[in-house]
Amino acid sequence: MLPSHKQQLVGLIEDACAQLGVTGMQVVLERPKVEAHGDVATNVALQIAKAQKKNPREVATDIATTMRAAGAFSFLLDKVEVAGPGFINLRLAASARQQVVREALQEAGHFGISDAHNGERVMVEFVSANPTGPLHLGHARQAALGDVLANLLAAQGWHVTREFYYNDAGVQIATLAQSVQVRAKELQGEAVEFPESGYRGEYIAEIARDYLARAAITREGVTVIASGDVDDLAALERFAVAYLRNEQDRDLAALGVFFDSFFLESSLYRDNKVEAAVSAMVASGMTYEEGGALWLKTTALGTNGELAGQGGPSADDKDRVMRKSDGTYTYFVPDVAYHIIKLQRGYDRVINVQGGDHFGTVARVRAGLQAAANALGIAVPRGYPDYVLHKMLRVTKGAEEVKMSKRAGTYVTLRDLLDWVGRDATRFFLVSRKPDAEFVFDVDLAVSKSEDNPVYYVQYAHARVCSVLVQAQEKGFSAPAVERVDLAPLQSEREQSLMKRLAEYPAAIADAARDAAPHQVASYLKELAASFHAYYNAERVLVDDENTRNARLALLFATRQVLANGLGLLGVSAPQRM
């Protein structure tokens, strides 16, 4: 139902309870499992009866009788019924259902948008790929999930920052430079043994060719020019990283994903932020040295950073090494330093979208962050940062799993997906399942023009409405302004069902933002498209009766608007013709 209707119903129930001498009860509205039972139900009578040791059905009957006598009843509710042990089932009046058509058309692109979190700041960090190769399927899923989540948060009033964290330091970057160096020497006719752990994709040879050709890479106003010197590993590294960062930018742009800020892991070392974080963790008293290594007492810290036993279970089953005996840091230490900086930047909320293989680092980062923050006098919100962890994605094409891209050498890339199915299908499919669920991306399904293809099914619903508008214009019909449309003719069961689905949109996107669950929007759009197609196949829209025709046109145009709004949040186009 519309948020305004929910507020009115809660107020109506609270007023009825107050007239019976009961105040302060939390009124919760839920959708009945059986649609025939009504639009919403509440168990408030059960709560009151338990507190006052009364018969719940009698309490429910008293509340229902009081509600029926309220002046607001006639235009808001059609039925109030008592069911089961004391549930109260409510059915909206037709006029209340029809209101969604007017609101959707009047608010247009703003329908469903909320300012509930106006003034609050959130950072969504996602993709965060090593600049050592093309973006793979995991990055593709992260890109779509993170971007849509950012859209959803913005739709709830959050001021959103999209950030990409580059792991541009460490062994992998050195290996990248060595791999390019070998390929460059081979291109010059020199026989060189390729490093065992080197990157073997065709893209390495491409970088080597451009390096020898003294190509220039310009990104964010900074130009890196290849020297062509195959013995200068530092120059090779700078050029290779710039080349791959630039390529990742292009692939993400093709997916419709853009970032507000980029953060370099190397800056944490350059600016001594890692050492400062380690010093803070040591100062907290939560570290010790053993076997030449520095350890963090993750077993003494809870899952949210508090002392274990005081606010939750232990963060880990054993303490973790922070600094190895060779002086290098383990994976989670620079992450702790990075999140100290995030805290200092003043975000109310931080969400990290990462692969499921990061599961083990979540508690360690939170524990290390709490230890360091305690020493620095910084407050850490409970459960900070939030994580959205996604599972693996597999791709099938021609009924067979695709495991390798010729260019990447060992894996399917984001660019492969885009080339095969295009932006719309790629984005829709990548967010259509829960992040923590594994799924198979069926390329053949994604390009099919069938009801089984969810993105085609939803887009076709939008295009179908557009085709009705064309037909109406060809027949000389013109719908009046929305404020003058009489919606009373919208009484049939399928019309009521479609309007009910439209009214669920604001809550659907609010819930998806709250739960960090973009797949809920994709599911809602499929349900809305199904309701529309069922209605369209059963009813004529361009009937002779003007009032009925105009009301049905208004319903279709409202449906088109909500479809376009929802697809827009997913970053998917709403075509007028298909």
Side-chain angles (χ1 to χ4, degrees), residues 86 107-108 135 156 218 232 239-240 297 334 366 424 444 449-450 458 463 539 543 564:
E107 297 178 19
L135 298 175
Q156 299 304 302
T218 300
D232 189 342
F239 182 78
K297 299 177 183 177
R366 287 177 176 168
D424 285 349
D444 297 329
K449 296 181 178 180
S450 71
V458 174
E539 303 277 3
V543 295

Side-chain angles (χ1 to χ4, degrees), residues 417-458:
L417 282 185
L418 290 168
D419 288 345
W420 290 333
V421 305
R423 176 192 293 187
D424 285 349
T426 297
R427 288 186 67 112
F428 197 103
F429 271 63
L430 288 175
V431 301
S432 63
R433 296 287 300 277
K434 291 180 64 176
D436 61 358
E438 294 184 6
F439 82 100
V440 176
F441 192 118
D442 186 335
V443 171
D444 297 329
L445 176 62
V447 297
S448 69
K449 296 181 178 180
S450 71
E451 293 184 1
D452 295 329
N453 179 356
V455 65
Y456 176 83
Y457 189 62
V458 174

Side-chain angles (χ1 to χ4, degrees), residues 38 96 204 264 320 360 407 439:
I204 295 295
L264 300 180
R320 298 291 170 172
R407 186 167 180 277
F439 82 100

Side-chain angles (χ1 to χ4, degrees), residues 9 21 47 50 54 70 97 120 130 132 143 171 301 303 341 358 383 419 426 491 532:
L9 285 177
Q47 299 178 54
K50 183 177 181 181
K54 293 183 177 180
R97 290 180 186 276
E120 297 180 78
N130 298 333
T132 54
V171 175
L301 288 160
T303 53
I341 292 173
H358 286 75
D419 288 345
T426 297
Q491 297 286 344
F532 164 75

Side-chain angles (χ1 to χ4, degrees), residues 1-3 100 111-113 156 502-511 524:
M1 67 173 64
L2 291 171
V100 67
F111 180 70
I113 302 300
Q156 299 304 302
L502 293 174
E504 293 170 352
Y505 176 70
I509 63 173
D511 291 348
Y524 168 82

